[in-house]
Every structure is written in C-alpha cells, then in structure tokens.
C-alpha cells in the first residue's frame, strides 16, 4: 500500500512513522508512506498556504491552489483509491473503515488545518472526509497519523503473529478480554485459575466470557451493533 500525506507540517510525522510497527512495515515494503510538504506547492513569493475567509470571521483557511497543485501532481503519476481529508466534519472513524482502507492500494491523505479548507478542494478533490472523534484537534496531522497507524497494522504480514491482529478488540464487534502475565500472584492479586490451567478450551471459554462481560459493562452499544449487523446479514441473504 502507498499513502501520500499532504501537510503544512511534515515534522509532525517524524515520530509516529519512524518507530515500532510502522517503521518495520515500511522497511519490509508493506507500506510506502510519503509525506509531502504543502509549502513546496505554494508558488507565490511568500509561499502562502492560508488566507482569511471571505465574509470575515476568525481563523485562517487553507488555500485551494497549493492543494490542487500537489494533488494534481500526485494524480498525474498514479491512480488513487481515495483522497481523504481529515476534518472534524467527516464521518467518524472506526475499525470497519480501517479494514476497508487497509485493502486499498493508493491513498492520499490531506491534513486539514487552521479553521478549515477552501470548500472547492472538498467539492472537487476530496472523496472522503474522516473525523477521528468528536473533539477538535489543532490540525489534521495527528488524525492522519492515527488513520495510518490503524490501517497499516491491518495489512497482511505487517504484524508477525497474525493471531494478535485477528483477535484485536473490535474485530469481533466486542472489546478484548483482560490479559495477565507473570508472576501468577502479585501483591495478593492472583491470575484467574482458568488462564493458568494449560487447558486451551478452558482458556478460550474464560476469555469469551470475560470479553462479553466487559463489553456489556462498558460498550453495550457494540453488542447491539453486532446483533443488528447479524440480523441485517440474514435479511440480505433471504
Ligand atoms: N481536525 C481537527 N479535529 C479533527 C478530528 N477530530 N478528526 C480529524 N481531523 C481533525
């Protein structure tokens, strides 16, 4: 998969992209992530990226020209599956969307910034707006890093132990169960016996029960969604 990130603040990506799983995924050729400095596409004397909104008001708007110049250049080189804009006005991101994006070949992610982006960019270039949650970030860069992280780890081969990805929280529409590691007793707290039993069936049953209980307590909405999906699936198959 190739991801082209368009941003006015390239240094914000240095940390997230150069550590841990994202670093390995790139080194192994599973993901190619290229960060483009939007300023390189601002052709006026002062390399201006933003301007005040027509009609007045506070805040600055990311200008159309540099974004069009950058995206046009990229699209003249290859076909992209989606041109994503990170924005608090986008559809709210979740694991299902992460799965869908992880199956794509080429993505552009434009990082929204300042007060907003010229609407002509959204109307013409952008195919999908994504919000990572109902709160406002200072810019779309951290949101783009979240999207890239959650998508790249789903690409087959990126996570060595394939199991750990398939049993992720949310993969089955539930939260993941609690985990313990050595020692079996710590400050008077013991690890549940089923987990120490060495009996795979007992372990699996304990984990299924614990995951269901945690989901019921914390995120009952996930269980409702899963039931509705299953019912919808049955209806569709009829
Ligand atoms: N830009 C500012 N806030 C954002 C959010 N919650 N998600 C995506 N992009 C954003």
């Amino acid at each position: 998969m190739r991801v082209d990130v368009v941003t006015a603040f390239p240094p914000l990506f240095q940390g997230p992209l150069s550590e841990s799983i994202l670093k390995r995924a790139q080194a192994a050729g599973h993901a190619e992530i290229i960060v483009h400095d939007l300023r390189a596409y601002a052709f006026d004397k002062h390399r201006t990226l933003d301007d005040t909104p027509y009609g007045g008001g506070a805040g600055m708007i990311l200008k159309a020209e540099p974004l069009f110049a950058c995206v046009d250049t990229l699209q003249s080189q290859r076909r992209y599956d989606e041109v994503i804009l990170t924005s608090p006005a986008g559809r709210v991101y979740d694991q299902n969307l992460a799965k869908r994006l992880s199956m794509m070949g080429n993505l552009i992610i434009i990082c929204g910034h300042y007060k907003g982006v010229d609407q002509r960019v959204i109307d013409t270039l952008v195919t999908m707006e994504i919000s990572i949650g109902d709160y406002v970030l200072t810019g779309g860069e951290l949101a783009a890093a979240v999207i890239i992280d959650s998508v790249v780890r789903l690409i087959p081969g990126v996570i060595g132990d394939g199991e750990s990805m398939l049993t992720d929280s949310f993969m089955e529409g539930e939260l993941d169960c609690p985990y313990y590691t050595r020692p079996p007793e710590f400050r008077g707290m013991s690890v549940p016996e089923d987990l120490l039993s060495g009996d795979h069936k007992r372990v699996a049953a304990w984990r299924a029960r614990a995951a269901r209980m945690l989901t019921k307590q914390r995120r009952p909405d996930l269980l409702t969604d899963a039931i509705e999906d299953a019912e919808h699936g049955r209806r569709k198959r009829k």
Side-chain angles (χ1 to χ4, degrees):
M1 154 179 261
R2 175 182 168 121
V3 184
D4 290 275
V5 182
V6 180
T7 172
F9 299 94
L12 282 174
F13 288 91
Q14 269 162 18
L17 296 185
S18 60
E19 298 290 336
S20 184
I21 290 174
L22 284 188
K23 179 182 177 180
R24 271 197 282 127
Q26 292 172 93
H30 293 299
E32 193 181 354
I33 305 164
I34 300 130
V35 179
H36 301 272
D37 186 353
L38 191 56
R39 214 164 281 281
Y41 295 87
F43 301 117
D44 64 304
K45 202 168 68 191
H46 303 291
R47 296 201 168 257
T48 319
L49 294 181
D50 59 340
D51 206 338
T52 53
Y54 278 120
M60 299 292 273
I61 307 301
L62 219 44
K63 287 166 68 65
E65 296 103 309
L67 285 169
F68 269 82
C70 183
V71 173
D72 282 352
T73 304
L74 291 172
Q75 285 182 325
S76 71
Q77 291 161 359
R78 68 195 65 74
R79 209 192 77 69
Y80 286 90
D81 299 291
E82 299 283 354
V83 179
I84 294 165
L85 172 70
T86 52
S87 154
R91 77 180 259 193
V92 179
Y93 195 58
D94 63 10
Q95 189 70 11
N96 281 331
L97 184 49
K99 265 190 260 179
R100 238 183 79 201
L101 295 179
S102 75
M103 292 172 210
M104 294 184 176
N106 299 319
L107 294 176
I108 292 177
I109 305 182
I110 299 172
C111 302
H113 226 273
Y114 308 106
K115 180 129 187 77
V117 175
D118 190 293
Q119 187 61 33
R120 290 165 291 193
V121 171
I122 297 168
D123 293 343
T124 316
L125 294 181
V126 171
T127 59
M128 185 186 285
E129 287 181 78
I130 298 179
S131 161
I132 61 160
D134 289 340
Y135 42 83
V136 180
L137 302 165
T138 52
E141 280 74 11
L142 294 179
V146 165
I147 294 167
I148 292 167
D149 184 292
S150 55
V151 166
V152 168
R153 65 190 294 287
L154 294 178
I155 298 171
V158 166
I159 293 187
D161 166 24
E163 263 293 281
S164 79
M165 188 193 81
L166 291 173
T167 58
D168 270 350
S169 189
F170 296 121
M171 282 314 247
E172 302 298 338
E174 284 189 356
L175 299 178
D176 207 349
C177 63
Y179 289 95
Y180 299 85
T181 185
R182 274 176 277 268
E185 181 135 354
F186 175 68
R187 295 194 177 181
M189 297 174 282
S190 331
V191 174
E193 241 178 67
D194 287 339
L195 297 180
L196 303 173
S197 67
D199 176 341
H200 292 309
K201 276 200 184 129
R202 254 178 90 180
V203 171
W206 183 91
R207 286 183 168 161
R209 273 197 315 274
R212 180 57 60 101
M213 208 152 68
L214 190 67
T215 312
K216 262 190 190 155
Q217 281 168 358
R218 304 253 178 100
R219 295 292 306 275
D221 58 302
L222 291 179
L223 294 174
T224 320
D225 286 354
I227 291 164
E228 275 172 10
D229 283 353
E231 282 175 356
H232 188 61
R234 271 200 295 281
R235 270 203 298 277
K236 268 198 303 202
R237 254 179 265 123
K238 267 185 196 163

